[in-house]
Amino acid sequence: MRGLVYLPFQPSAAGLACDLVSVQLIVERVGTPAYIYSARAIREAYRALDAAFADHPHAIHYALKANSALAIVRLLRSLGSRVDANSGGEIIVALRAGFGPGDIVFTGVGKTRDELEQAIAAGVGTINAESPGELERIAALAAGMGRVARVALRVNPDIDARSHPNISTGLRTNKFGVPLGDARQLYLVHRTTPGLRFVGVHVHIGSQITTPEPLVRAARALVSLALDLRADGCALEHVDLGGGLGIAYEGQPVLTAAQYAAAVLPELRRLDLPVVLEPGRAIVGHAGALVSRVIDVKRYPDGRQFAVLDAGMTELMRPALYGSYHRIVPVVPRDGERIRWDLVGPICESSDAFATERELPELRVDDLVAVLDAGAYGAVMASNYNRRLLAPEVLVDGSEWTLIRRRQTIDDVLALES
Ligand code: LLP
């Protein structure tokens, strides 16, 4: 199985299945649109990454931002994962899911004073600091609380991740981190600052990275910095390579966990320190699908054919926001010729489209389709635009399935308003 990726949504005699459960059966109960996830896919993706780094001390801190449904976070905890939290809310989710504060790295380019105070009071494992000003705020808050905050500085190595520009974070023009060249001086300046203890160095150059070179260059830069800091007398406990490992949205093989590890391990071996990884997408991306019903079909005189779905950018924003590709499959495919479809959502925006000119069998009103590889950055990025209600989420485990989040109601939404 090493190197192979388990894809949970496969055709069966009863139409599309997630592991051993019929997708149609689930949505007959929970309605559409709905997110369905496979526990097996999450387990296998986690274990593949864990196995890939088995030869080097490592800690996987799953990036909650990819999907922080409590049931999924608990599942990851049962596998031995730790977490990367990006907000006060995600810290609470981690604690509710049973993680200890020491299991949390707290990242994020803009942490409020309240969030920093929350993180320091909880005693999170590491705060990944993003700027000289943030280091000073952390120090002042911690000293005021009689605490010592464990910090790592996020460096910006000016490396092109060769991913979509909106999800690249490692160029000097990006808002993230401190320039690599400034880091050593900052560690020196703050070596004796009360309230601060440097325990690591951190880098995260972007997401959906599918070639090893940028990741290797980032690892090399980070390890070199850590070696310099050691020469300066700074005793670090880890180096944090961030997340970023991509997945095969188009079905073509991309960098696997094993290839990723093989590429960065020679750099990590220059230093006898554990590595922290912050994967999100690579753990949950393939595990989830958004299932939706066709609510209208129409044909223009020029031959263009639209299938209007009951899910749109409010449920899965990635195609509208990044022009990103998701495989789409009918739950029960009809026989006959394949036609080019524009698969669009119901929102009053032309960017609300999942795919244009996608070849699929005939679709009719009330047919079900599944938008695949939507486990990461799907449900978590949903909104109530047009007063639409957050979709339910279901977790399949073998032949069982559980509703892990019910559909939001209009009363849930209006409860916040006077
Ligand atoms: N660590 C840090 C500091 C991050 O900012 C991120 C993602 C991760 C780890 C996890 O990265 P991953 O392994 O998932 O690539 N909404 C976008 C992705 C945004 C990623 C933001 N940061 C999308 O739908 O493609």
Side-chain angles (χ1 to χ4, degrees):
M1 274 304 281
R2 209 183 156 107
L4 290 182
V5 174
Y6 171 66
L7 299 173
F9 292 89
Q10 298 292 343
S12 79
L16 189 71
C18 174
D19 295 347
L20 302 173
V21 183
S22 146
V23 163
Q24 184 162 357
L25 187 128
I26 295 173
V27 299
E28 274 166 15
R29 300 283 292 279
V30 305
T32 55
Y35 273 98
I36 301 179
Y37 310 112
S38 152
R40 175 173 167 198
I42 296 172
R43 280 192 199 102
E44 294 208 8
Y46 179 87
R47 287 183 183 140
L49 192 63
D50 198 29
F53 280 88
D55 291 345
H56 193 86
H58 64 279
I60 298 178
H61 286 251
Y62 167 67
L64 290 172
K65 60 169 77 70
N67 188 322
S68 59
L70 272 173
I72 287 179
V73 183
R74 288 197 191 104
L75 170 63
L76 280 156
R77 182 169 163 265
S78 75
L79 300 176
S81 185
R82 303 181 198 178
V83 287
D84 157 16
N86 201 66
S87 67
E90 287 187 351
I91 292 177
I92 302 290
V93 166
L95 297 174
R96 290 248 178 117
F99 286 97
D103 298 329
I104 301 173
V105 297
F106 182 31
T107 66
V109 74
K111 309 179 197 72
T112 64
R113 267 205 189 76
D114 282 351
E115 287 176 315
L116 288 172
E117 204 172 315
Q118 177 191 351
I120 297 164
V124 301
T126 310
I127 302 177
N128 287 339
E130 293 262 352
S131 73
E134 187 170 83
L135 278 177
E136 281 162 24
R137 282 190 294 281
I138 295 169
L141 281 165
M145 295 158 74
R147 306 289 287 259
V148 176
R150 295 163 51 84
V151 294
L153 193 57
R154 175 174 184 173
V155 295
N156 181 325
D158 193 22
I159 291 172
D160 184 353
R162 293 200 227 130
S163 181
H164 190 284
N166 290 15
I167 53 175
S168 291
T169 52
L171 287 173
R172 68 183 139 74
T173 46
N174 296 136
K175 66 184 172 182
F176 301 92
V178 302
L180 180 63
D182 296 354
R184 200 169 175 183
Q185 185 60 21
L186 270 166
Y187 277 83
L188 281 175
V189 166
H190 284 292
R191 215 152 87 171
T192 52
T193 300
L196 284 187
R197 182 156 133 230
F198 283 117
V199 294
V201 282
H202 176 228
V203 73
H204 171 81
I205 57 169
S207 197
Q208 185 52 18
I209 301 173
T210 53
T211 55
E213 297 80 18
L215 294 161
V216 172
R217 286 177 59 207
R220 186 174 305 149
L222 198 68
V223 169
S224 297
L225 171 65
L227 287 166
D228 287 346
L229 294 174
R230 177 178 285 176
D232 294 342
C234 182
L236 298 180
E237 295 174 19
H238 70 256
V239 293
D240 180 342
L241 284 185
L245 182 59
I247 62 167
Y249 283 106
E250 313 209 9
Q252 313 298 335
V254 297
L255 191 62
T256 63
Q259 290 165 339
Y260 168 51
V264 297
L265 279 170
E267 296 301 329
L268 293 169
R269 290 203 184 102
R270 293 162 55 211
L271 187 74
D272 54 351
L273 284 183
V275 62
V276 165
L277 304 166
E278 300 172 353
R281 188 187 322 260
I283 304 292
V284 292
H286 286 308
L290 172 63
V291 182
S292 176
R293 202 173 281 283
V294 176
I295 50 181
D296 195 15
V297 171
K298 53 186 188 174
R299 181 170 205 158
Y300 283 0
D302 67 356
R304 196 168 277 272
Q305 290 240 124
F306 289 92
V308 184
L309 307 181
D310 68 357
M313 63 195 291
T314 40
E315 285 68 40
L316 178 65
M317 208 200 276
R318 303 192 70 254
L321 201 54
Y322 317 115
S324 54
Y325 182 96
H326 283 262
R327 292 178 292 147
I328 300 175
V329 293
V331 170
V332 182
R334 290 179 186 280
D335 292 335
E337 208 195 337
R338 290 166 73 90
I339 325 166
R340 292 196 169 170
W341 290 96
D342 282 13
L343 291 130
V344 300
I347 311 293
C348 42
E349 312 240 356
S350 292
S351 60
D352 182 33
F354 288 138
T356 49
E357 304 201 357
R358 187 71 66 87
E359 271 196 18
L360 287 177
E362 191 195 346
L363 293 171
R364 295 193 198 150
V365 168
D366 287 334
D367 283 0
L368 294 168
V369 297
V371 184
L372 302 186
D373 307 317
Y377 306 108
V380 286
M381 291 174 70
S383 83
N384 287 128
Y385 184 40
N386 284 20
R387 292 290 193 180
R388 289 167 59 79
L389 305 168
L390 298 183
E393 295 176 86
V394 166
L395 183 62
V396 172
D397 198 353
S399 54
E400 311 277 308
W401 63 274
T402 316
L403 180 66
I404 59 169
R405 188 177 73 180
R406 67 164 170 82
R407 189 181 302 283
Q408 195 177 36
T409 66
I410 192 69
D411 289 333
D412 291 337
V413 176
L414 291 174
L416 306 177
E417 300 180 28
S418 58

